[in-house]
Each structure stands twice: as C-alpha cells, then as structure tokens.
Amino acid sequence: MRTTLPLFFFLLLLINVACSEDESANLSYETFEEHLRTEMTYGQLVLHFGKPFADVGSGIHIYEYHLDDQTKIFIGYTDQILYARHVSADGRLLHELI
C-alpha cells in the first residue's frame, strides 16, 4: 500500500500535465476571435483557452497564450479584459481583438 499511493499520485500528475499540454496545443487565432469576449472573467478565460503560458504584466495582468502557428495572444486584464492583441513571433502587432 505504501508504494501504491505515491505511484497513484505520480500517475495523476502525469495525466494532468499531458492534458494541459494538449489544451494549449490546439489554440489558434480563430479560436480567440470566435470565443473571446470583453466581459469574460479569468475563470472563463481558463475554461475556454486553458491556463495562460505566462503572466508578463506589471501593474496589470498580461496573460500570454502561445498559438499553434508560433504567434501569441496577449490579454491585458484587471477586473475585466482591457485589451487583447495577436502578435507575430517577432513581436509585430497582427490584430487587435479587443
């Protein structure tokens, strides 16, 4: 029993990591364009798009999402979404979503 319990938790951790990677691997600009709304809460963002890759903000949250095509979505957030930008791999602004 002592070795079974740690093994069980290790397997749960592996499953969780695998599921998280799968969620982020399916993100596209069109997904954000179709589902992103100004009134979304952080919980709704996570529900629709998964956890952000990073929060790169200082003063406000700036959630960073990596997309399949190597571009990124940056979402500025306080108690609501302030902006959402689609940015190329080299940092050029491609689209203003919000």
Side-chain angles (χ1 to χ4, degrees), residues 8-24 51:
F8 174 75
F9 285 114
F10 177 72
L11 289 174
L12 281 177
L13 177 65
L14 285 178
I15 291 168
N16 187 29
V17 168
C19 290
S20 297
E21 289 175 3
D22 288 343
E23 286 175 12
S24 63
K51 288 187 177 181

Side-chain angles (χ1 to χ4, degrees), residues 7-98:
L7 181 59
F8 174 75
F9 285 114
F10 177 72
L11 289 174
L12 281 177
L13 177 65
L14 285 178
I15 291 168
N16 187 29
V17 168
C19 290
S20 297
E21 289 175 3
D22 288 343
E23 286 175 12
S24 63
N26 295 324
L27 290 177
S28 68
Y29 170 75
E30 291 78 18
T31 302
F32 282 89
E33 186 178 44
E34 182 178 341
H35 298 287
L36 187 64
R37 301 289 173 260
T38 306
E39 64 276 358
M40 292 177 99
T41 64
Y42 176 74
Q44 291 169 323
L45 287 173
V46 171
L47 182 66
H48 285 288
F49 311 113
K51 288 187 177 181
F53 177 78
D55 181 353
V56 296
S58 177
I60 69 167
H61 295 283
I62 302 174
Y63 301 126
E64 178 180 335
Y65 286 91
H66 295 187
L67 307 184
D68 288 343
D69 63 359
Q70 308 307 310
T71 62
K72 297 177 183 178
I73 298 285
F74 290 100
I75 299 174
Y77 188 91
T78 55
D79 56 347
Q80 65 181 25
I81 295 176
L82 303 174
Y83 64 84
R85 297 181 180 133
H86 183 215
V87 178
S88 69
D90 64 357
R92 289 180 294 113
L93 178 64
L94 300 173
H95 303 99
E96 286 274 350
L97 288 156
I98 294 175

